[in-house]
Amino acid sequence: MAGKKKALITGIAGFVGSHLAELLLSKGFEVYGFCRSRTKMDHIEEIKNKLILEDADLMDSHSLYTIISRIKPDFVFHLAAQSFVPTSWISPSVTLEVNVSGSANLFEAIRQASIDPVVQIACSSEEYGLVYPDEVPIKETNPLRPQSPYAVSKVAMDYLGYQYFSSYNMKIVRTRGFNHTGPRRGDTFAESNFAKQIALIEKGKQEPIIHVGNLEAKRDYTDVRDMVRAYLLAVEKCEAGDVYNICTGNAIEIGKMLELLLSFSKVKVSTKQDQSRMRPSDVPILIGDNSKFVAQTGWKDEIPFKKTMEDLLNYWRARV
Ligand code: A2R
């Protein structure tokens, strides 16, 4: 395998990690990934034998160091996280531990292995939190007003990345991904949950009532396959230490997204608001300004939102 670039993905078996692994394999990378014994492997089942998987937990700094100093990756994509906002209300400490201390463990392992890979870290639009109407579309320079323990954990990871660049000159690129979705999205996320409910109703396995949360929020959605293309461009073309929004610059209301999903189906449904699906504090609007990232990399989102939603619904139709 001489000459092949080595890419390490933390969180390779997750929603985004699995799509990124497919992309990197198609581009000829030697792809390594961190998993745990408890990690569900469904998303990477079909490509598992082309990957080099290592048993490593972000909380176990010793395993991180041992494996990283052996692999000596050229690129690291740091995706492993407690990734779900609602879980962060229930388990704030675990969220902070995995997302902040886990990232510190990873950076230390890389530093102590005396290697110099380009490291992309998956920061989040949730960091902007409360955004005022005159701040939209949101630039990287916008104040961060995080509204959940998850968002706070991502702010801390983001700045830890900056600090490791600043203190040790590590080549860390910070990407603030806005919402991203598509096949394999967990059913705890609104759009995927709606698609799954529609698929269940189509099969007669759920009464024709869609349970919803806040339908008024507006979100800027990118297809996950466009997002992972952006992550690869980030390590190839972006400036170390710098931060980049990745988003389309267009937003859709959650209620309109539900209507779009329903337009692909013949079922007739009513909706019911479910208090448990509302957040203690929610962000009304998130639309990003991607001009900095686009100018640096030439990236453009390619998959229309309609296709993303159709693929997501078909993903669930094949699974329920
Ligand atoms: O929890 P597991 O074993 O199923 O694996 C998850 C992994 N992960 C960890 N890996 C190592 N040590 C840990 N302590 C640890 N905790 C979690 O991260 C899973 O494979 C992955 C996260 O996948 P998803 O929850 O599907 O997240 P998604 O949507 O792919 O998000 C990727 C990144 C995250 O940093 C998000 O916060 C960001 O994009 O938006």
Side-chain angles (χ1 to χ4, degrees):
M1 295 233 201
K4 275 195 170 188
K5 290 277 184 201
K6 294 180 184 178
L8 168 65
I9 307 174
T10 73
I12 194 167
F15 163 60
V16 181
S18 61
H19 285 283
L20 180 61
E22 281 169 12
L23 175 73
L24 295 177
L25 285 173
S26 77
K27 301 270 181 197
F29 285 83
E30 193 170 297
V31 183
Y32 293 78
F34 283 172
C35 304
R36 302 189 280 181
S37 50
R38 52 175 266 193
T39 302
K40 275 174 56 185
M41 304 299 271
D42 314 13
H43 295 342
I44 53 170
E45 202 52 55
E46 282 169 27
I47 54 168
K48 213 169 62 183
N49 56 9
K50 297 186 189 142
L51 305 171
I52 304 153
L53 299 176
E54 305 279 357
D55 203 338
D57 193 307
L58 285 179
M59 300 326 297
D60 177 9
S61 47
H62 183 74
S63 69
L64 298 185
Y65 170 75
T66 309
I67 296 167
I68 285 175
S69 53
R70 171 163 47 77
I71 300 173
K72 298 188 172 56
D74 300 291
F75 300 104
V76 177
F77 298 88
H78 179 33
L79 306 181
Q82 192 304 91
S83 65
F84 191 41
V85 174
T87 303
S88 81
W89 298 106
I90 299 161
S91 306
S93 307
V94 171
T95 304
L96 288 164
E97 230 171 285
V98 174
N99 297 2
V100 187
S101 302
S103 301
N105 290 341
L106 178 72
F107 297 161
E108 276 302 311
I110 294 169
R111 191 172 80 81
Q112 287 174 20
S114 302
I115 54 173
D116 193 23
V118 184
V119 182
Q120 173 261 349
I121 59 173
C123 307
S124 168
S125 59
E126 291 282 334
E127 291 173 48
Y128 296 114
L130 181 62
V131 173
Y132 297 112
D134 64 346
E135 294 174 329
V136 172
I138 307 159
K139 285 193 185 307
E140 289 82 352
T141 47
N142 210 73
L144 305 178
R145 306 182 194 100
Q147 298 289 298
S148 66
Y150 170 81
V152 172
S153 78
K154 287 287 167 173
V155 171
M157 180 186 78
D158 189 329
Y159 281 110
L160 198 66
Y162 171 73
Q163 181 255 311
Y164 269 73
F165 159 76
S166 209
S167 305
Y168 306 117
N169 214 14
M170 278 174 61
K171 295 189 195 123
I172 296 174
V173 176
R174 301 175 285 146
T175 54
R176 291 191 189 141
F178 282 59
N179 290 58
H180 38 292
T181 191
R184 304 185 201 138
R185 185 58 154 164
D187 62 3
T188 40
F189 293 86
E191 73 285 356
S192 196
N193 189 275
F194 295 163
K196 185 180 179 185
Q197 291 190 63
I198 293 170
L200 283 167
I201 293 168
E202 284 178 343
K203 293 228 167 116
K205 294 182 177 175
Q206 178 176 322
E207 53 177 351
I209 300 172
I210 307 248
H211 299 266
V212 300
N214 178 6
L215 289 181
E216 276 151 32
K218 287 194 180 133
R219 294 290 180 267
D220 181 337
Y221 281 99
T222 300
D223 190 287
V224 62
R225 294 157 288 193
D226 282 332
M227 187 59 75
V228 297
R229 260 193 324 104
Y231 288 173
L232 177 55
L233 284 168
V235 298
E236 289 174 339
K237 299 197 165 171
C238 286
E239 297 290 336
D242 217 344
V243 63
Y244 301 88
N245 284 342
I246 306 180
C247 51
T248 67
N250 302 304
I252 183 162
E253 219 177 74
I254 304 295
K256 290 269 180 278
M257 181 193 63
L258 175 57
E259 279 172 28
L260 177 63
L261 276 169
L262 284 168
S263 75
F264 302 128
S265 180
K266 292 196 173 63
V267 291
K268 293 275 164 282
V269 301
S270 55
T271 56
K272 186 174 175 211
Q273 198 161 64
D274 202 340
Q275 229 19 63
S276 67
R277 290 167 191 257
M278 306 295 279
R279 295 176 182 182
S281 53
D282 204 359
V283 180
I285 184 163
L286 285 176
I287 304 177
D289 180 331
N290 64 15
S291 50
K292 183 175 172 186
F293 185 68
V294 169
Q296 187 76 28
T297 64
W299 177 83
K300 192 180 172 325
D301 60 290
E302 286 171 357
I303 303 175
F305 187 61
K306 203 173 158 205
K307 173 159 172 52
T308 307
M309 289 293 107
E310 216 170 352
D311 289 353
L312 179 59
L313 181 57
N314 286 332
Y315 168 78
W316 282 116
R317 281 174 171 150
R319 268 159 198 85
V320 297

